[in-house]
Amino acid sequence: MERNCFKTDLEYNLVPYKTVDLGLAAIQDKKIDVLIGPITINSDRALRASFSQPYFDTEMAILAPILDLTIWDRIQPFFSSTFLYAVLGLLLVLTFVGFLFWLAEGKYMSEEYGNSAIKGIGNGIWLAIVTMTTVGYGDYAPKTILGRFIIGSWMIISLIMATSFVAGIATTLSITSKEGKTITSLSHLDNKMVAIPANQRLINNVNLVGGKPVIVSNAKEGYSKLLNGEVDALVYDVIPLEYVFENSKKSDFVISKKNIFPQHYGFAFQEANALKKKIDLELLKLKEGDAVTRIINTWINNNE
């Protein structure tokens, strides 16, 4: 079948190939002059063919089911080792400040702070707590210069510590509430079954974060495995991923795009020649006029 190519005078015959690898093999065997389609440019393929200017830039994306938080998931951060260590550290600091205050003046004012070291240090800890929380009951107050210096220093230090402590808790709860258990980044793939293409770089990164790669030949196969519960997430090129993503399921799944492994689409040639230069110019014109983006968006929307 002969048709006019772009806005040039070129005439061409369309020869279909089921996979990119078969098309690249045909390029190497010089059975065809140019291979067009959703062909991502990488170093392995560049060894087998000469590529045109990239006509579209894309990336890998993650498709995963939306998982809501349970009550335990919401309160679990308060029982994490990080939170418990922070609380323990704060208690140790309060105890240290209370001890210093008892040494400074509580030890010498037994009538006011108690006759025993335990009671005196306990009252010093109480003073440290009310100072840090800015409650200031006034039941205990420093009277010596050294005591005032210790409590004055603690006022400044505790203000910074309390602000950081509260901010850390708020940030943890905010992130937990926003992301929930839904997989939205590669760091969430630990101990998860993940459908991915046969891309060695992607396989290595999934293994690195503790994920379990399940190789699929195309996005449709990976999406089918995700719907059947065979995998926990699907990582694939965002364009075919959006194409196979059924609209009826959009309330149950989410596609996360976080600049994962940027991809570039191009045409493959036998070698750099006049044909490549002519097509390069036409591709650049299409890209500069935003025509490629409109074409791809139309192609994706045709799946609706």
Side-chain angles (χ1 to χ4, degrees):
M1 178 169 52
E2 296 185 355
R3 297 182 181 178
N4 190 275
C5 179
F6 304 119
K7 295 180 181 179
T8 67
D9 297 327
L10 294 175
E11 297 291 332
Y12 63 90
N13 295 319
L14 289 178
V15 181
Y17 288 92
K18 291 185 177 181
T19 66
V20 172
D21 285 337
L22 290 176
L24 289 173
I27 283 286
Q28 286 184 294
D29 295 338
K30 297 185 178 181
K31 294 180 179 179
I32 56 177
D33 298 300
V34 57
L35 178 66
I36 65 175
I39 311 166
T40 52
I41 304 172
N42 56 48
S43 58
D44 291 335
R45 291 175 176 176
L47 290 173
R48 304 166 61 186
S50 177
F51 280 92
S52 68
Q53 289 281 340
Y55 65 83
F56 189 74
D57 302 318
T58 183
E59 60 183 316
M60 292 287 186
I62 301 174
L63 178 64
I66 298 174
L67 302 176
D68 294 328
L69 289 173
T70 62
I71 295 178
W72 169 247
D73 291 326
R74 295 182 185 279
I75 66 174
Q76 189 177 14
F78 292 106
F79 296 93
S80 66
S81 58
T82 301
F83 181 81
L84 294 177
Y85 283 141
V87 172
L88 179 61
L90 179 60
L91 292 176
L92 290 175
V93 172
L94 288 170
T95 302
F96 179 70
V97 174
F99 177 73
L100 287 180
F101 185 72
W102 176 72
L103 286 179
E105 60 177 53
K107 186 176 182 180
Y108 305 104
M109 299 179 183
S110 57
E111 294 180 0
E112 188 171 350
Y113 291 96
N115 294 317
S116 67
I118 294 177
K119 186 175 180 180
I121 294 173
N123 289 334
I125 294 173
W126 171 254
L127 178 60
I129 292 174
V130 297
T131 300
M132 182 183 70
T133 57
T134 67
V135 174
Y137 286 114
D139 49 352
Y140 296 101
K143 296 180 175 61
T144 65
I145 294 178
L146 181 58
R148 289 175 180 176
F149 174 78
I150 292 173
I151 293 301
S153 301
W154 174 240
M155 286 179 183
I156 299 173
I157 295 172
S158 65
L159 181 63
I160 298 173
M161 286 184 60
T163 303
S164 302
F165 192 72
V166 172
I169 295 174
T171 300
T172 301
L173 293 178
S174 175
I175 292 175
T176 302
S177 176
K178 182 178 179 181
E179 294 188 353
K181 299 170 65 177
T182 303
I183 298 172
T184 58
S185 69
L186 291 180
S187 61
H188 296 163
L189 298 179
D190 183 27
N191 205 32
K192 303 293 184 183
M193 302 293 292
V194 190
I196 59 174
N199 181 307
Q200 192 57 50
R201 182 186 175 195
L202 182 57
I203 293 173
N204 292 340
N205 276 267
V206 171
N207 285 325
L208 186 64
V209 298
K212 302 174 182 178
V214 177
I215 307 302
V216 293
S217 57
N218 53 59
K220 188 174 182 180
E221 179 187 350
Y223 185 54
S224 177
K225 288 182 178 294
L226 185 62
L227 291 179
N228 294 334
E230 298 177 43
V231 296
D232 300 298
L234 169 61
V235 181
Y236 216 88
D237 189 296
V238 67
I239 298 303
L241 194 60
E242 289 180 336
Y243 181 76
V244 301
F245 187 22
E246 295 178 3
N247 293 312
S248 60
K249 298 291 184 181
K250 285 191 175 179
S251 60
D252 301 324
F253 292 83
V254 61
I255 291 182
S256 303
K257 307 173 188 177
K258 296 189 176 180
N259 197 32
I260 304 172
F261 303 147
Q263 306 283 312
H264 310 285
Y265 284 160
F267 293 174
F269 299 84
Q270 293 179 8
E271 57 186 19
N273 51 34
L275 175 62
K276 177 181 178 300
K277 183 176 181 179
K278 183 175 290 189
I279 291 181
D280 273 345
L281 291 174
E282 294 300 325
L283 288 175
L284 287 172
K285 290 177 183 178
L286 289 174
K287 191 174 181 181
E288 289 169 357
D290 204 31
V292 175
T293 301
R294 292 198 302 272
I295 291 170
I296 290 179
N297 288 336
T298 301
W299 176 68
I300 293 174
N301 292 333
N302 282 339
N303 192 42
E304 296 182 0

